[in-house]
């Protein structure tokens, strides 16, 4: 691999790495909030939220 | 290495490699289905289609992680270059497994409506502005298309016809495709999970892939910065010090970095030193990490060969790599920073005692 290609690889991963990590974290947070909502007991009729 | 179009030449090592890969993938999918059925019994039962979908999806993602890790891992553990040799076969297998996942998923979720399955996939959910309910299937579709393009152009026929640079750019699409597939899983299958196992595994996978690539790249940048000091006494560029000539192992090379950042591999063969560019004409593999076999410098990535004497591939092949002038001064090897024309062979430097041992 020549130097230009090596730098291109590094640049690609410096962009894709954080992007992949960000979308993964967003997905996990979303899943956890859904899981919490599913565990919450349903509100009784007429009860204030 | 090939000098014309031929179907894949199935040598015994390739057959063994492919058989192991196929058996491994089949065992993974079968094991996933069996364990999944055992874990999800009774009220929590999952349909066979969904289990197969999950198994093939997990298998394809695991294979993609392996493929992406092989390259940078081989920079740290040279023994892994043996796996790198037929990495493209793993890529084709990954596409086939991902295709099975996609076909079953599209058929199961979009195959029974009034519009066509693909149209349904692209139009049923268009909530691109919201993370909750994001159309993650489209991310998977785009990733699958990229895997298809890579599998279809993986043969050396395309490498030769597209040119090495264009082929490499095309195949670097696997990096954004990986990002899309992580998004596909994170916003899709992960949303159905109720335990921390799947998110932890995916997180570990992303950390390993990204960490390995960045670590390998940083290591290479450091090596580039550690360019050997140059002695500017020549009209064709400076001479670069390459260390003690006699300490280069027979049939192996020492790699030095030229001031411009390009690398040069100084090989020792039959008591002679010859220097070639470190970049293989095939896919840019590190020639300096290979060895001399039958008088030919052999690239560690895919076995392309160049004669140590003149940098030309043995007949009937026509590839050439640039050579560099090399000399020995006070027992130390020195190499010119400027390459000769490819195919032009400068005289080798002779070690004093014939083999320098």
């Amino acid at each position: 691999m020549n130097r230009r290609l090596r730098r291109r690889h590094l640049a690609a991963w410096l962009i894709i790495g954080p992007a992949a990590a960000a979308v993964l974290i967003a997905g996990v947070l979303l899943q956890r909030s859904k899981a919490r909502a599913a565990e919450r007991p349903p509100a009784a009729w007429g009860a204030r939220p | 290495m090939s000098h014309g179009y031929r179907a894949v030449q199935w040598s015994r090592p390739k057959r063994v490699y492919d058989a192991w890969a196929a058996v491994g993938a089949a065992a993974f999918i079968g094991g996933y289905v069996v364990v999944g059925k055992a874990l999800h019994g009774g009220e929590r039962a999952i349909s066979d289609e969904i289990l197969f979908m999950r198994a093939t999806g997990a298998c394809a993602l695991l294979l993609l992680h392996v493929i992406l890790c092989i390259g940078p891992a081989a920079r740290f553990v040279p023994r892994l270059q043996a796996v790198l040799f037929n990495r493209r076969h793993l890529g084709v297998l990954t596409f086939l497994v991902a295709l099975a996942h996609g076909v079953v998923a599209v058929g199961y979720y979009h195959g029974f409506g009034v519009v066509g399955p693909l149209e349904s996939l692209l139009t049923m959910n268009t909530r691109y502005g919201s993370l909750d309910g994001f159309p993650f299937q489209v991310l998977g579709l785009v990733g699958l298309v990229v895997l298809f393009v890579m599998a279809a152009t993986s043969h050396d026929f395309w490498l030769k016809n597209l040119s090495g640079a264009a082929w490499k750019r095309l195949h670097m699409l696997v990096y954004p495709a990986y990002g899309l597939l992580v998004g596909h899983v994170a916003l899709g299958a992960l949303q159905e999970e109720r335990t921390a196992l799947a998110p932890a595994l995916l997180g570990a996978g992303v950390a390993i892939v990204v960490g390995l690539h960045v670590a390998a790249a940083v290591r290479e940048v450091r090596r580039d910065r550690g360019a050997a000091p140059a002695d500017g006494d020549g009209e064709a560029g400076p001479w670069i010090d390459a260390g003690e000539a006699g300490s280069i192992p027979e049939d192996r090379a020492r790699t030095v970095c030229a001031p411009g950042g390009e690398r040069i591999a100084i090989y020792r063969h039959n008591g002679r030193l010859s220097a070639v560019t470190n970049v293989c004409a095939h896919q840019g593999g590190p020639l300096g990490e290979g060895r001399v076999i039958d008088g030919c410098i052999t690239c560690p990535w895919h076995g392309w060969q160049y004669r140590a004497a003149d940098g030309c591939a043995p007949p009937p092949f026509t590839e050439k790599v640039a050579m560099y002038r090399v000399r020995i001064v006070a027992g130390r090897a020195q190499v010119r920073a400027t390459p000769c024309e490819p195919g032009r062979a400068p005289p080798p430097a002779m070690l004093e005692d014939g083999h320098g041992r």
Side-chain angles (χ1 to χ4, degrees):
Chain A
M1 232 188 273
N2 60 30
R3 189 164 71 148
R4 196 170 47 185
L5 203 52
R6 287 198 294 272
R7 287 186 171 183
R8 208 178 284 166
H9 273 262
L10 177 58
W13 280 106
L14 288 179
I15 295 167
I16 290 158
V23 77
L24 176 62
I25 290 166
V28 170
L29 292 177
L30 187 65
Q31 178 255 336
R32 285 181 63 186
S33 74
K34 281 181 185 171
R36 271 198 299 272
E39 284 168 8
R40 211 174 293 144
W45 283 106
R48 286 174 184 275
Chain B
M1 135 186 230
S2 64
H3 64 293
Y5 176 75
R6 266 178 283 176
V8 177
Q9 295 156 65
W10 300 103
S11 59
R12 185 178 147 70
K14 280 182 181 174
R15 283 201 198 96
V16 171
Y17 186 102
D18 290 354
W20 273 110
V23 167
F28 179 93
I29 293 168
Y32 193 107
V33 170
V34 169
V35 172
K37 272 200 171 295
L39 290 178
H40 297 89
E43 286 181 2
R44 297 172 61 222
I46 301 176
S47 72
D48 290 346
E49 291 88 345
I50 291 180
L51 256 181
F52 181 77
M53 227 181 286
R54 288 186 180 183
T56 47
C59 181
L61 197 65
L62 178 65
L63 279 168
L64 188 59
H65 276 84
V66 171
I67 288 167
L68 287 171
C69 285
I70 291 172
R75 311 297 305 155
F76 296 104
V77 186
R79 282 181 63 191
L80 289 175
Q81 282 170 346
V83 191
L84 206 149
F85 203 87
N86 289 319
R87 184 170 53 169
R88 284 180 280 178
H89 294 219
L90 275 188
V92 174
L93 178 66
T94 303
F95 164 69
L96 292 174
V97 175
L99 181 67
H101 167 81
V103 166
V104 174
V106 171
Y108 189 76
Y109 291 113
H110 301 275
F112 304 102
V114 288
V115 295
L118 207 57
E119 187 183 348
S120 167
L121 190 154
L122 294 169
T123 58
M124 195 175 79
N125 178 5
T126 54
R127 294 169 62 191
Y128 290 98
S130 162
L131 208 57
D132 188 9
F134 189 89
F136 68 94
Q137 290 176 323
V138 176
L139 300 178
L141 178 66
V142 176
L144 184 63
V145 169
V146 173
L147 292 183
F148 165 71
V149 171
M150 293 182 57
T153 59
S154 62
H155 193 274
D156 274 356
F157 169 81
W158 287 104
L159 177 63
K160 189 149 189 161
N161 283 283
L162 291 172
S163 85
W167 189 89
K168 200 79 189 172
R169 268 199 293 273
L170 184 70
H171 281 241
M172 275 177 72
L173 282 177
V174 71
Y175 301 160
Y178 175 70
L180 290 174
L181 292 172
V182 168
H184 171 71
V185 177
L187 301 176
L190 223 59
Q191 299 305 311
E192 306 300 321
E193 290 293 326
R194 290 293 169 262
T195 67
L197 181 65
L201 284 176
L202 186 58
V206 171
I208 290 170
V209 167
V210 177
L212 264 177
H213 275 272
V214 172
V218 167
R219 185 169 174 258
E220 298 298 308
V221 168
R222 283 195 183 138
R223 280 183 70 188
D224 285 343
R225 284 192 186 141
D231 168 16
D233 69 345
E235 71 289 341
W239 289 94
I240 301 163
D241 181 54
E244 206 179 312
S247 62
I248 300 174
E250 180 68 12
D251 291 337
R252 295 277 181 176
R254 178 178 297 148
T255 307
V256 294
C257 195
E262 295 307 323
R263 293 185 188 162
I264 303 167
I266 302 164
Y267 263 95
R268 172 174 167 176
H269 177 59
N270 282 347
R272 298 170 180 189
L273 296 185
S274 54
V276 296
T277 174
N278 194 47
V279 182
C280 178
H282 180 218
Q283 282 191 24
L287 285 179
E289 292 169 31
R291 59 199 171 106
V292 176
I293 299 172
D294 299 331
C296 291
I297 293 166
T298 305
C299 180
W301 280 10
H302 302 102
W304 278 41
Q305 291 190 307
Y306 311 92
R307 287 190 298 251
D310 59 7
C312 297
F317 307 106
T318 55
E319 288 79 12
K320 295 169 185 169
V321 289
M323 297 197 76
Y324 292 76
R325 287 180 64 193
V326 62
R327 70 182 183 186
I328 298 170
V329 176
R332 296 186 72 80
Q334 292 187 342
V335 62
R336 265 281 203 248
T338 313
C340 304
E341 286 285 313
R344 186 168 161 258
M350 307 294 288
L351 284 160
E352 282 172 10
D353 60 353
H355 287 79
R357 286 172 185 157

